[in-house]
C-alpha cells in the first residue's frame, strides 16, 4: 500500500498508526536479514511516535498528510539520539544532539521514522558496496547491487518495507538506486530542501529528496520536506511549490526534449524504454523532439574534481578530537592520522586525496578552477535547451542493476554509473526517475525527466503521465508479504 | 652592529574580536571568561550536518571598521581555509580570501603620518587549547583540553601596508587603531584578554633603498610592550644576519615573552597549503547602498577629531607637552566625553583633563560608566577649594568603585571642612552646658577631650574636624 493510501486510512480512523507500524516492522524483521537495507531499526521510539499520532487523531487533531506513514531515513541525515553513521566506522557510536530539518518536517507531517538506511560510506559510491557495515542487496535480484549511494532507502521502498524514504543526491545518489530498484526518486532543485542536518559530502551539490513507489507519493513527500529553512543559508526563500496539487494536469502542449547525450552509451534495452516513454508523452499531447546538449559529456570529469574537492574539506572534521572514533597516539597529529587511517574506507580516502590534490597550490586553477568553468558552461547549455523545451528526457542510468563485486575494483567503471545524473547536480536543477518496465533480465529500468530550476511542478506532471503508461514491472524477489502486492505488480494491474 | 644604517619595514596584521552579542555563524553567546564549553552548539562545534548562518551584526561592525579606516566596502565572499588543528572544530576556518569586505584604506597616526590599510576582512575565531601536565610546555604535556567557547567568535583581520618604520610607530599604529575600534564599539580593546591580537611582518633594508628585504612574520604579540620589543629584537636579529653576510630566511617566528626574543616556528617550505576555495555553505555578502549609507551616517567621531576638540578646549595657549599626552590618553580610552561635558558645565579644562587622564584613566572601565553629573560635581568641589587635590582623588576612587554623590563621599571621609566659626561656637556651647566636666578638664583631666569632642560631633552632625575641636578646647583652657 502506498503512503497516501496509508495516511488516508489512518486519518479516517480505518486503521491505527500503531498497527500500520507493526506491519512494517514485521516486514523489516522478515526481509531485512537478506536485504540489509537498514543500519538501525527504531522499534520503541517509532512505537511511541505512532501512539502519539493515534492519540492526536483521537483528540480530533489532524497530524498531517503523512499521518502514521512509516518512513525510512538515509543514515547521513541527523536524528537526535539515534546513531547516524554515514555507514562509516569513523562515526560509529556518535549520537547527534539534534534532528535534521527534513526529519523535523517528516514528523511535523505525521510520519513515523522507522529506521536509518544503508549507504555508500559518506554517500560516496554507486552501489552501496562502500558501506562499512556490508552491502545492501537489490530486492529484484539479491546477487545485484541496489545502486547507490542511497541504496538502502531505494531497496527498502522497492521491497515494500516502507512506502517512502529519504535519500540524498550529490551526483545521482537518489535517482540511480531508484532506477535500479524500480521506484520513483527525485533530486529537487538545489536550495528547495534544507540541508541542515544532512552530513555534507559535497555541499554545493548535495540535496535531500524522496523515494516512493508512486509519483504522487514522491510529490507528497517533496511538498512536506521542501520550503525555506533559516538554518541553511543556501535555502531558497520562496513559497512551497505544492507539486501534488497540480500533479494531474497532464502534458498537453508541454515541450519535451529527448537528450541524445543522455542516451549515448546506454544499454539498448534502456534506450528502447526511454523512447517508449517519449511516445507515451507524445500520445498524451506533448510536443516531443530530440535535442542535443553536448556539454553534458563534460559533466562527469568536472564532477569528479569538484565533489572530491568539497569532500576533502567537509570530511576534515573527523579528526578524533570531539566525537566518533579515536585511535590514540602520542600527539594530536598522530592521533588524527591514525583515526582517519582506521576510520575511513578506501573510496572515501581516494576522494579525500583526489580533492586535496585538486585544491593544492599550483593545481587549483588547472583542476578546481577549470571544473567550475565547465559547471558554468553546463548551466548555460541547459539554459539554451530550456528555451526549446519545458522538460528534458533521458536515461537515468546507462545500465540496469549490475552484480555485486563487478565494479568495486574499477572506480572509473563505477563512476560511469553517474554519467546521466551528474549534469543535473552541477546545474542545481531538479530531475526525477520513474520506473518504466524491465529489461531482458526482468530488471527495472528507469527513465529520467529533467527540468530547469524550480521546474518541479511540470516535471511531476510529465512523470505522472509516464507512470500511467509504464509497462508491467516485475515483482521483487525480496518483498514484504504482509503489505500486499509489491510496487511493480501494482503498476502491472493498471 | 649599526642599526642606524638599516631601517625596519613593518606591516601589521591586527585580529580584532568583534563585540557582538552572538557568534559569527550561530546564536551562541560571544563572551570572554565563561565556564569552558558552555557557549557551544552543533554549528560552532562543527558537528556533522551543521551549517553556518552569517550574523548580520558582525557584517555591520565590519562595515563600520571599513568606514572608519577609509576603505572601499565591496561585495565579498567567504572561503574555507583548510588546515588541521584540534581547537578548530571543522578543521577549516571560514575566512575571507581574495574578495574581502574592506580594501584599500588608510589610518592616520596622531603625527599626521598615514599607514595604508590593504584589507580588513571577516573570519571566525578558533577555540583555545590548554596543554596539561608536563609543567605547561606543549611538548611535555600528557594531554590537552580544548575550550570551544571562543570557536566561531567573529574577527576582523586588519592588514596594514608595510608602511611602518619603527617599533615606536608600530605601537602608535596599534594604539590609534585600538582607539578607533573602541570608538565604533567594534572592540573592547583588551589585548590582555585577546580581544586584539597582533602579528608583525618585519624586514629590514639598508637606508634609502626601495628594495624590500625578506620578511619574517612574528606571532604571539599580546601587549603593546611585546609588540615594540619583538620588532626591535627582530630588526636587530635580521641586521646582524645581513651584516654577517648571511641571508634572512622567510619564516614564521614566535615571540618568546620570557626569553624576550623571537624563535623560528616554521620556514616558508613548511608553510601550510591552506587550499582555499569558496565556502559553499554561504552566499555572497553584498551590502546594498542603503545599508552602507546608514553605516556611514552612524559613524561616531574618530579619535583624531576628538583630540582636536580637546586641544581646542584647552585654548589659545596650546597644550603643554604633558597635556598632549593627557589628550591622547583620554581619547584612546574613550574618556574624552567626561572632559568635554565637565568643561561645558564650567569646569576648568586643565583640571578636568588632568583628573580624567590620571585618576579616571587608571580605572577606565568604571570611569566610562560613571554618573556624569557626579563626576562634574566632584571636579567643581575641587575647583572651588572645598576639597584638596588629595581629597578629590580619594573621593574619585570611591565614586568609581561605589557610585553615589561626591559630597556624601567627602563627608563620610570627613573631608568636608566646616567654617572655623562653627567649630568655635559649638565648643563654647558644649563647655557652658557642662561646667563640672569643664572644671575637671581645666584641672588636667585630659581624657575629657573625648567627651567634649563627642558632644561637638553630635552638635555638628559629625561635620567637625576632631583635631580642630581639640585645638579649640586647648585654646579655651589657656
Ligand atoms: Zn554555537
Amino acid at each position: 500500500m502506498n503512503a497516501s493510501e496509508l495516511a488516508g486510512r489512518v486519518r479516517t480512523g480505518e486503521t491505527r498508526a500503531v498497527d500500520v507500524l507493526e506491519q512494517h516492522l514485521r516486514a523489516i524483521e522478515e526481509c531485512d536479514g537478506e536485504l540489509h537495507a537498514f543500519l538501525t531499526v527504531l522499534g520503541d521510539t517509532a512505537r511511541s511516535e505512532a501512539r502519539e499520532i493515534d492519540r492526536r487523531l483521537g483528540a480530533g487533531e489532524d497530524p498531517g498528510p503523512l499521518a502514521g506513514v512509516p518512513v525510512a531515513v538515509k543514515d547521513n541525515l541527523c536524528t537526535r539520539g539515534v546513531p547516524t553513521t554515514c555507514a562509516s566506522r569513523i562515526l560509529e557510536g556518535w549520537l547527534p544532539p539534534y534532528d535534521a530539518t527534513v526529519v523535523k518536517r517528516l514528523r511535523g507531517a505525521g510520519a513515523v521514522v522507522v529506521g536509518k538506511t544503508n549507504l555508500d560510506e559518506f554517500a560516496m559510491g554507486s552501489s552501496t558496496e562502500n558501506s562499512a557495515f556490508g552491502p545492501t542487496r537489490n530486492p529484484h535480484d539479491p546477487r545485484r547491487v541496489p545502486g547507490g549511494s542511497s541504496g538502502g532507502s531505494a531497496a527498502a521502498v522497492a521491497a515494500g518495507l516502507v512506502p517512502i524514504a529519504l535519500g540524498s543526491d550529490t551526483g545521482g545518489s537518489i535517482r540511480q538506486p531508484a532506477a535500479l530498484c524500480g521506484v520513483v526518486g527525485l533530486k529537487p532543485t538545489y536550495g528547495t530542501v534544507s540541508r541542515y542536518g544532512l552530513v555534507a559530502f559535497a555541499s554545493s551539490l548535495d540535496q535531500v529528496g524522496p523515494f516512493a513507489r508512486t509519483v504522487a507519493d514522491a510529490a507528497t513527500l517533496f511538498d512536506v520536506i521542501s520550503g525555506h529553512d533559516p538554518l541553511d543559508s543556501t535555502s531558497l526563500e520562496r513559497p512551497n511549490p505544492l507539486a501534488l496539487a497540480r500533479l494531474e494536469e497532464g502534458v498537453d502542449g508541454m515541450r519535451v526534449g529527448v537528450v541524445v547525450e543522455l542516451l549515448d552509451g546506454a544499454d539498448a534495452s534502456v534506450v528502447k524504454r526511454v523512447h517508449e516513454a517519449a511516445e507515451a508523452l507524445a500520445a498524451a499531447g506533448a510536443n516531443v523532439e530530440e535535442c542535443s546538449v553536448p556539454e553534458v559529456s563534460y559533466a562527469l570529469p568536472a564532477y569528479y574534481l569538484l565533489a572530491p574537492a568539497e569532500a576533502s574539506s567537509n570530511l576534515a572534521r573527523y579528526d578524533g578530537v570531539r566525537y566518533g572514533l579515536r585511535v590514540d597516539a602520542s600527539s594530536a597529529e598522530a592521533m588524527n592520522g591514525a583515526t582517519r587511517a582506521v576510520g575511513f574506507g578506501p573510496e572515501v580516502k581516494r576522494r579525500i586525496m583526489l580533492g586535496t590534490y585538486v585544491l593544492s597550490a599550483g593545481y587549483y586553477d588547472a583542476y578546481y578552477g577549470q571544473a567550475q568553468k565547465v559547471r558554468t558552461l553546463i548551466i548555460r547549455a541547459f539554459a539554451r535547451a530550456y528555451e526549446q523545451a519545458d522538460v528534458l528526457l533521458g536515461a537515468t542510468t546507462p545500465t540496469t542493476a549490475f552484480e555485486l563485486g563487478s565494479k568495486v575494483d574499477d572506480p572509473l567503471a563505477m563512476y560511469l554509473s553517474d554519467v546521466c545524473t551528474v549534469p543535473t547536480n552541477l546545474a542545481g536543477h531538479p530531475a526525477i526517475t520513474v520506473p518504466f518496465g524491465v529489461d531482458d533480465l526482468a530488471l527495472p529500468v528507469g527513465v529520467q525527466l529533467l527540468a530547469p530550476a524550480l521546474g518541479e511542478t511540470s516535471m511531476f506532471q510529465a512523470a505522472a503521465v509516464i507512470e500511467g503508461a509504464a509497462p508491467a514491472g516485475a515483482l521483487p524477489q525480496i518483498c514484504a508479504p504482509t503489505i500486499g502486492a509489491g510496487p511493480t505488480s501494482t503498476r502491472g494491474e493498471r | 652592529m649599526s642599526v642606524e644604517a638599516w631601517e625596519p619595514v613593518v606591516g601589521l596584521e591586527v585580529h580584532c574580536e568583534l563585540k557582538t552579542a552572538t557568534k559569527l555563524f550561530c546564536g551562541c553567546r560571544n563572551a570572554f571568561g565563561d565556564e569552558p564549553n558552555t557557549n557551544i552548539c552543533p554549528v560552532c562545534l562543527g558537528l556533522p550536518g551543521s551549517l553556518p548562518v552569517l550574523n548580520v551584526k558582525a557584517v555591520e561592525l565590519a562595515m563600520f571598521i571599513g568606514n572608519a579606516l577609509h576603505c572601499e566596502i565591496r561585495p565579498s565572499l567567504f572561503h574555507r581555509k583548510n588546515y588541521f588543528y584540534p581547537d578548530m572544530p571543522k578543521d577549516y576556518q571560514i575566512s575571507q580570501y581574495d574578495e574581502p569586505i574592506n580594501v584599500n584604506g588608510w589610518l592616520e597616526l596622531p603625527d599626521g603620518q598615514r599607514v595604508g590599510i590593504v584589507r580588513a576582512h571577516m573570519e571566525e575565531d578558533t577555540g583555545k587549547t590548554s596543554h596539561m601536565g608536563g609543567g605547561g610546555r606543549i611538548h611535555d604535556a600528557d594531554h590537552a583540553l580544548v575550550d570551544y567557547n571562543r570557536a566561531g567568535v567573529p574577527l576582523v583581520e586588519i592588514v596594514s601596508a608595510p608602511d611602518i618604520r619603527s617599533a615606536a610607530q608600530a605601537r602608535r599604529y596599534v594604539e590609534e587603531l585600538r582607539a578607533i575600534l573602541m570608538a565604533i564599539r567594534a572592540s573592547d580593546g583588551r589585548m590582555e584578554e585577546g580581544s586584539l591580537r597582533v602579528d608583525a611582518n618585519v624586514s629590514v633594508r639598508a637606508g634609502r633603498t626601495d628594495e624590500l628585504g625578506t620578511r619574517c612574520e612574528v606571532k604571539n604579540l599580546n601587549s603593546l610592550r611585546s609588540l615594540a620589543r619583538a620588532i626591535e629584537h627582530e630588526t636587530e636579529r635580521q641586521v646582524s644576519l645581513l651584516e654577517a653576510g648571511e641571508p634572512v630566511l622567510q619564516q614564521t617566528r614566535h615571540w618568546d615573552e620570557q626569553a624576550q626574543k623571537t624563535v623560528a616556528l616554521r620556514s616558508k617550505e613548511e608553510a601550510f597549503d591552506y587550499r582555499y576555495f569558496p565556502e559553499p555553505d554561504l552566499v555572497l555578502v553584498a551590502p546594498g547602498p542603503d545599508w552602507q549609507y546608514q553605516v556611514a551616517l552612524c559613524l561616531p567621531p574618530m579619535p583624531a577629531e576628538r583630540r582636536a576638540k580637546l586641544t581646542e578646549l584647552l585654548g589659545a595657549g596650546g597644550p603643554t607637552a604633558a597635556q598632549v599626552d593627557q589628550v591622547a590618553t583620554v581619547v584612546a580610552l574613550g574618556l574624552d566625553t567626561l572632559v568635554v561635558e565637565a568643561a561645558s558645565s564650567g569646569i576648568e579644562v586643565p583640571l578636568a583633563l588632568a583628573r580624567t587622564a590620571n585618576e579616571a584613566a587608571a580605572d577606565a572601565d568604571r570611569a566610562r560608566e560613571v554618573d556624569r553629573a557626579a563626576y562634574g560635581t566632584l571636579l567643581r568641589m575641587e575647583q572651588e577649594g572645598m576639597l584638596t587635590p588629595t581629597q578629590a582623588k580619594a573621593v574619585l576612587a570611591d565614586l568609581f568603585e561605589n557610585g553615589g554623590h561626591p559630597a556624601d563621599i567627602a563627608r563620610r571621609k570627613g573631608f568636608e571642612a566646616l567654617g572655623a566659626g562653627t567649630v568655635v561656637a559649638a565648643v563654647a556651647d558644649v563647655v557652658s552646658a557642662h561646667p563640672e566636666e569643664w572644671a575637671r578638664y581645666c584641672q588636667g583631666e585630659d581624657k575629657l577631650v573625648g567627651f567634649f569632642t563627642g558632644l561637638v560631633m553630635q552638635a555638628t552632625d559629625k561635620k567637625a574636624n576632631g583635631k580642630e575641636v581639640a585645638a579649640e578646647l586647648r585654646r579655651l583652657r589657656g
Side-chain angles (χ1 to χ4, degrees), chain A residues 465-493:
Chain A
V465 168
I466 289 177
E467 179 183 50
L475 195 68
Q477 290 178 28
I478 308 175
C479 78
T482 50
I483 302 189
T488 42
S489 68
T490 311
R491 202 170 300 112
E493 281 161 15

Side-chain angles (χ1 to χ4, degrees), chain B residues 16 38 47 56 98 154 167 212 241 320 324 334 345 405 435 443 454 465:
Chain B
C16 166
T38 51
L47 292 189
V56 171
D98 54 358
L212 290 175
L241 280 173
T320 63
V324 170
S345 70
H405 195 279
Q443 283 154 19
N465 183 322

Side-chain angles (χ1 to χ4, degrees), chain A residues 78 94 97-98 195-198 203 230-231 233-234 313-314 316-319 321-323 336 356 359-361 364 368, chain B residues 42-43 45-53 80 82 84 86 89-92 148 273 275-278 280-283:
Chain A
C78 289
W94 179 59
Y98 71 108
R195 291 185 295 117
Y196 192 77
L198 167 66
S203 313
L231 298 179
S233 308
T234 62
S313 173
N314 282 328
R317 69 190 66 190
Y318 307 105
D319 56 10
V321 175
R322 290 161 303 276
Y323 46 77
N336 185 219
T356 304
L359 291 174
S360 297
Y364 180 93
Y368 186 87
Chain B
V43 175
L45 276 184
L47 292 189
S50 66
L51 294 171
V53 177
R80 289 188 187 174
N82 294 285
F84 285 94
K90 301 180 292 294
D91 287 290
Y92 59 79
Y148 292 102
D273 178 358
R275 292 173 284 117
Y276 281 101
F277 74 101
D281 290 331
L282 292 168
V283 294

Side-chain angles (χ1 to χ4, degrees), chain A residues 258-493:
Chain A
V258 180
V259 184
V260 293
E261 288 81 8
L262 293 181
L263 296 172
D264 279 353
D267 287 354
S269 54
V270 172
V271 174
K272 178 169 159 279
R273 292 302 188 190
V274 173
H275 285 307
E276 287 170 13
E279 284 160 24
L281 287 169
N287 303 317
V288 180
E289 284 191 36
E290 243 183 29
C291 71
S292 172
V293 190
E295 291 84 348
V296 302
S297 51
Y298 303 123
L300 199 68
Y303 172 84
Y304 275 98
L305 295 172
L306 296 175
E310 293 184 20
S312 69
S313 173
N314 282 328
L315 272 63
R317 69 190 66 190
Y318 307 105
D319 56 10
V321 175
R322 290 161 303 276
Y323 46 77
L325 183 72
R326 176 188 292 174
V327 178
D328 274 320
S330 57
S331 69
E333 201 179 0
M335 180 275 287
N336 185 219
T339 300
R340 291 166 70 82
V342 171
F344 288 137
E347 181 62 26
V348 170
K349 287 178 184 164
R350 177 155 41 235
R351 296 203 196 185
I352 289 173
M353 284 189 283
L354 190 60
T356 304
Y357 183 75
V358 161
L359 291 174
S360 297
Y363 298 99
Y364 180 93
D365 289 340
Y367 295 119
Y368 186 87
Q370 203 64 18
Q372 284 290 24
K373 284 180 194 153
V374 170
R375 190 171 187 174
T376 306
L377 284 180
I378 287 168
I379 292 169
R380 286 196 199 132
F382 273 123
R384 273 197 306 278
Y386 287 122
E387 284 168 11
Q388 314 293 324
D390 300 308
V391 296
L392 300 175
L393 182 70
T396 309
T397 57
T399 70
T400 53
F402 44 92
E403 290 183 12
L404 269 103
S406 62
K407 294 185 182 178
V408 281
D409 296 326
D410 186 354
L412 289 181
M414 188 73 91
Y415 295 171
L416 276 173
S417 301
D418 300 331
V419 70
C420 301
T421 47
V422 153
T424 320
N425 297 83
L426 290 176
H429 294 169
I432 191 168
T433 182
V434 183
F436 202 83
V438 293
D439 69 359
D440 300 340
L441 297 168
L443 294 168
V445 174
V447 299
Q448 186 180 205
L449 282 161
L450 297 76
L454 306 177
E456 275 90 349
T457 304
S458 14
M459 194 177 77
F460 267 113
Q461 288 158 1
V465 168
I466 289 177
E467 179 183 50
L475 195 68
Q477 290 178 28
I478 308 175
C479 78
T482 50
I483 302 189
T488 42
S489 68
T490 311
R491 202 170 300 112
E493 281 161 15

